[in-house]
Amino acid sequence: NTVTSEKLTVRIGKEQADIDFTATNLFGNPLIISSRITSDRFALDPLVNLTAAPAVAVHEIKAHEPSQPSLKTEPGPLNLPLRLTGDVQVGQLLYRELTVDNFNLNYTLDNNILTVGRMTGNLLGGHFVETVRVNLGTRGFSYTDQFTLTGIRADQLLSAFSPHNSGTVFGTLNLNADLKGTGTTTESIRKNLVGQGDFLLRDVKLTGGGVTQSLADYLNLEELRVMRFSQGNGRFSIADGRVNLNSQFSGSDVRMTPEGYITLDGSLDIALN
C-alpha cells in the first residue's frame, strides 16, 4: 500500500531532475503523495514545448471549420482523487532566455485546490515572490495570484515577454500585483481578469517607442526622443479587459503624469500631461 523512492532520476531530453517521493493509500481514495524535486540546472522550454498541443495545418482547420465560429470550451471541472504536497528546488532554471537562480517552490493539491504557497527566485538583478491558488473543481479553473518583483531590470524582462517592445524601456522595476480571474482562453482572461497593484521604476529611460518618437516629431524636439527620469511610480487596476493607470514620472528635464487605460489587446487611451 506504499511506494517510496529516493534519488529517482528523470530525464527529459537533456534536462535532468532527481525526485524523492512517497505514495500511500495506493488502493484508497484519495491517493496521497509527497515529493521533493531537485536539479542543479533545468531548462523549462523543452518541457513546455513537449506538453503544448500539436500544431494543426491551416488546410485542416479550414476543412473542419464550422459555418458559425464557436467559443473554445473551458477545461474542468476536475475531481482528482489526489492529495499532493511537495517542493521544487532548482539551482538554475532557464525559461524564455531568462535565468532564475535559486528557484524554490512548494505546493499542495487537496480537494481539487492547487496552492503554490510560495515561489521565489533571483532574476535579472533582483528577485520575485509569488503565491497562487487555483480551483480545479470549477469550469475554467478560477484562480488568485499575488506576486512581487523587486529590483528587476525592466529592459530584459520586456525583451523576454514582449520582444517587439524590446529596447524601449530601461530602469529598475519594483512591482506588486494582486490578481484573480476565471478561464484559460484569451477571451476568458480578457473578460474575467481583475486586479490591482503598484509599481516603482528607478533610473528610467524611455526610447525608441511610438509615443516618444511621435511626441518628438510633433513638438520638433530632438531631446524627447530619449526621455530620462529619476523615477516613475503609480498604481493600476485591471477590469473589463483593460488596465487603468495613474502614474507620475519625474526627472530634471521632463515631468509627466500619464493617466488612462491600456486594453489587454494592446490599444491605449492615455492623457499625457
Side-chain angles (χ1 to χ4, degrees):
N1 199 41
T2 301
V3 175
T4 301
S5 167
E6 294 182 0
K7 299 295 183 182
L8 174 66
T9 300
V10 176
R11 293 187 180 90
I12 303 175
K14 297 180 180 179
E15 311 310 317
Q16 178 176 311
D18 293 330
I19 302 178
D20 299 341
F21 75 88
T22 299
T24 60
N25 199 33
L26 297 184
F27 304 103
N29 188 348
L31 174 64
I32 302 171
I33 301 175
S34 62
S35 67
R36 179 182 177 85
I37 301 174
T38 59
S39 178
D40 294 331
R41 180 185 181 279
F42 198 92
L44 270 184
D45 292 291
L47 181 60
V48 172
N49 294 335
L50 181 67
T51 57
V56 180
V58 174
H59 66 84
E60 293 182 25
I61 296 176
K62 291 181 178 180
H64 296 88
E65 190 174 41
S67 56
Q68 295 294 330
S70 59
L71 295 176
K72 295 180 180 178
T73 302
E74 291 284 0
L78 301 181
N79 186 16
L80 303 174
L82 296 172
R83 184 182 300 160
L84 308 179
T85 59
D87 62 88
V88 179
Q89 296 184 358
V90 182
Q92 192 175 73
L93 184 69
L94 308 178
Y95 179 61
R96 287 195 176 192
E97 300 183 358
L98 295 176
T99 299
V100 180
D101 294 315
N102 301 319
F103 177 82
N104 287 273
L105 176 153
N106 63 72
Y107 67 91
T108 62
L109 174 63
D110 191 14
N111 196 28
N112 301 307
I113 304 294
L114 174 64
T115 302
V116 176
R118 186 174 175 85
M119 180 166 60
T120 64
N122 300 325
L123 172 69
L124 300 177
H127 67 275
F128 67 88
V129 179
E130 186 170 12
T131 300
V132 182
R133 183 181 185 272
V134 184
N135 186 350
L136 302 176
T138 61
R139 180 168 296 279
F141 303 156
S142 61
Y143 56 85
T144 61
D145 186 358
Q146 296 175 314
F147 65 90
T148 298
L149 307 178
T150 305
I152 302 294
R153 290 192 292 271
D155 55 318
Q156 296 186 31
L157 188 68
L158 201 62
S159 296
F161 291 99
S162 183
H164 65 283
N165 289 315
S166 178
T168 60
V169 180
F170 297 83
T172 302
L173 171 66
N174 293 354
L175 174 69
N176 300 295
D178 189 348
L179 310 175
K180 64 179 180 180
T182 302
T184 60
T185 67
T186 302
E187 295 84 356
S188 296
I189 293 173
R190 289 175 179 171
K191 179 181 178 181
N192 300 320
L193 181 66
V194 296
Q196 59 185 356
D198 58 78
F199 68 91
L200 171 64
L201 273 165
R202 291 191 174 94
D203 299 323
V204 188
K205 182 174 74 171
L206 304 180
T207 179
V211 173
T212 58
Q213 296 300 312
S214 297
L215 193 61
D217 291 339
Y218 179 72
L219 298 176
N220 194 28
L221 287 174
E222 287 297 317
E223 294 86 349
L224 293 182
R225 295 194 184 279
V226 177
M227 291 191 287
R228 300 178 185 273
F229 306 92
S230 56
Q231 76 170 36
N233 62 81
R235 296 193 59 82
F236 62 88
S237 62
I238 303 173
D240 301 322
R242 67 187 194 183
V243 181
N244 301 291
L245 176 68
N246 188 325
S247 63
Q248 57 183 3
F249 290 78
S250 58
S252 58
D253 297 322
V254 181
R255 294 186 299 274
M256 64 181 184
T257 56
E259 298 181 21
Y261 66 84
I262 305 171
T263 66
L264 295 182
D265 61 9
S267 60
L268 58 88
D269 185 351
I270 292 180
L272 186 63
N273 300 315

